[in-house]
Amino acid sequence: MPSLKSLRARITSVKSTRKITQAMKMVAAAKLRRAQAQAEAARPYAERMERMLASLGASVAGSPGAPRLLIGTGRDQVHLLVVVTGDRGLAGPFNTNVGRFARTRIRELEAAGKTVKLLLVGRKGATYLKREFASRFVGEISFQGQKRIGFEDAQKIAERVTGMLEGGEFDVCTLVYNRFRSVISQTPTAQQLIPAMLPEAGAAAPAAAGPQALYEYEPGEEEILATLLPQNLAIQVYRALLENTAGFFGSQMTAMDNATRNAGEMINKLTLNYNRTRQANITKELIEIISGAEAV
């Protein structure tokens, strides 16, 4: 049976831990509101940009001068996975989920005879995947210590991917990240960036209510795509970074809330054990006193 001193020390230690988890929960909740607002604000623009480029690209994809960001290299052998995770832990299964999702994707591609390259954004993802796939790494990017992720950070990643494409280092690029659904739900998502996902030939256009506008482009579609495709790549990466940030703080808030409740339950159990041990010691001392008095 543990001594009263060790029980007191244990209770004090758990109370200190509970204060830390409570503080981390409050900080994560405050940061989550801002991150969630940014992620939700970025979604409509990113989705409309993607749809507009898909519509533009459908008429240009067959031409010999189509941009490589739109049609890729024409091959499907080398796949680049840009895996976005967090730089910190203490967020429950957040980083592990996207790491497992990426690992499954890698194994599926390699089982199909494809070559896989990995560009890791986030320290935790790099640590998780390095154990098994270190030879596939082509780069690691970390924002640890940076207070806020900006669009310029996404542009740097997009420029690196574009440079690799122009160098013929890959054929298909896929973005892997956690899509923010709610505070308790983040969904691992794979989004193909290069070549762009275009509507299939002959596919029926979705019906829309009301009169439809006809657009004329000036300059031509190819010139517009040459300008907008690099911008769209940066926008999609930026959206993934915002979704990842919001999901991280949501998962961290949930994890710290669970840790705080668990610490409270542990304190109650330790306190009960402490009181029982103390009562047992008092009873034992009383019995010894009474026995000694009767012996006299």
Side-chain angles (χ1 to χ4, degrees):
M1 181 179 293
S3 65
L4 291 176
K5 183 178 180 180
S6 63
L7 286 172
R8 281 197 301 269
R10 180 65 174 159
I11 291 171
T12 303
S13 174
V14 176
K15 285 182 177 179
S16 299
T17 302
R18 184 172 64 174
K19 290 179 181 179
I20 295 172
T21 57
Q22 282 178 331
M24 292 184 67
K25 173 189 171 183
M26 294 175 65
V27 171
K31 291 183 177 180
L32 172 63
R33 286 191 289 271
R34 181 192 298 269
Q36 182 177 353
Q38 288 181 323
E40 291 176 348
R43 284 178 188 170
Y45 184 79
E47 291 171 358
R48 288 180 181 273
M49 172 72 82
E50 198 172 20
R51 288 200 299 268
M52 184 193 69
L53 288 177
S55 176
L56 267 173
S59 60
V60 179
S63 64
R68 299 188 73 182
L69 284 174
L70 179 69
I71 62 173
T73 61
R75 299 184 298 273
D76 186 28
Q77 180 57 35
V78 182
H79 286 249
L80 173 67
L81 299 185
V82 182
V83 184
V84 182
T85 59
D87 285 306
R88 292 175 294 168
L90 298 177
F94 176 81
N95 294 311
T96 304
N97 285 346
V98 72
R100 288 175 179 170
F101 183 81
R103 182 179 62 186
T104 301
R105 183 90 174 185
I106 295 167
R107 290 176 176 173
E108 289 175 352
L109 290 170
E110 292 185 339
K114 311 297 182 182
T115 302
V116 177
K117 296 182 178 181
L118 298 174
L119 176 60
L120 279 300
V121 181
R123 189 171 58 88
K124 287 297 179 179
T127 302
Y128 182 87
L129 293 173
K130 187 174 288 185
R131 305 168 191 169
E132 188 175 353
F133 305 108
S135 61
R136 285 79 159 176
F137 280 28
V138 296
E140 300 178 31
I141 300 172
S142 175
F143 299 113
Q144 190 173 16
Q146 188 170 323
K147 291 184 178 180
R148 186 178 301 177
I149 297 176
F151 183 68
E152 62 277 4
D153 299 310
Q155 281 183 315
K156 291 178 182 178
I157 298 173
E159 289 171 1
R160 182 164 184 174
V161 172
T162 303
M164 293 178 66
L165 177 65
E166 293 174 352
E169 298 183 39
F170 68 87
D171 302 317
V172 179
C173 177
T174 303
L175 187 64
V176 179
Y177 64 97
N178 264 321
R179 181 177 173 84
F180 179 80
R181 298 290 184 184
S182 66
V183 175
I184 60 174
S185 176
Q186 298 84 36
T187 306
T189 304
Q191 179 184 358
Q192 183 174 307
L193 299 179
I194 304 171
M197 299 298 294
L198 301 176
E200 297 181 1
Q212 300 301 302
L214 296 177
Y215 295 96
E216 292 184 2
Y217 297 99
E218 180 66 30
E221 288 91 340
E222 293 184 8
E223 296 179 52
I224 295 174
L225 286 172
T227 302
L228 290 186
L229 281 170
Q231 183 178 355
N232 175 65
L233 183 61
I235 288 169
Q236 300 303 329
V237 173
Y238 184 51
R239 172 194 181 185
L241 293 176
L242 293 178
E243 296 272 358
N244 182 76
T245 302
F248 172 81
F249 287 125
S251 185
Q252 186 178 63
M253 188 182 75
T254 302
M256 292 301 101
D257 181 59
N258 292 335
T260 300
R261 289 203 306 268
N262 292 338
E265 293 175 1
M266 184 176 291
I267 290 171
N268 292 336
K269 292 179 181 178
L270 289 171
T271 302
L272 181 61
N273 194 9
Y274 174 83
N275 291 335
R276 287 176 176 174
T277 303
R278 180 170 175 271
Q279 186 63 43
N281 289 342
I282 293 173
T283 303
K284 181 180 178 181
E285 291 174 1
L286 287 174
I287 291 174
E288 291 175 353
I289 293 172
I290 294 172
S291 299
E294 289 179 352
V296 174

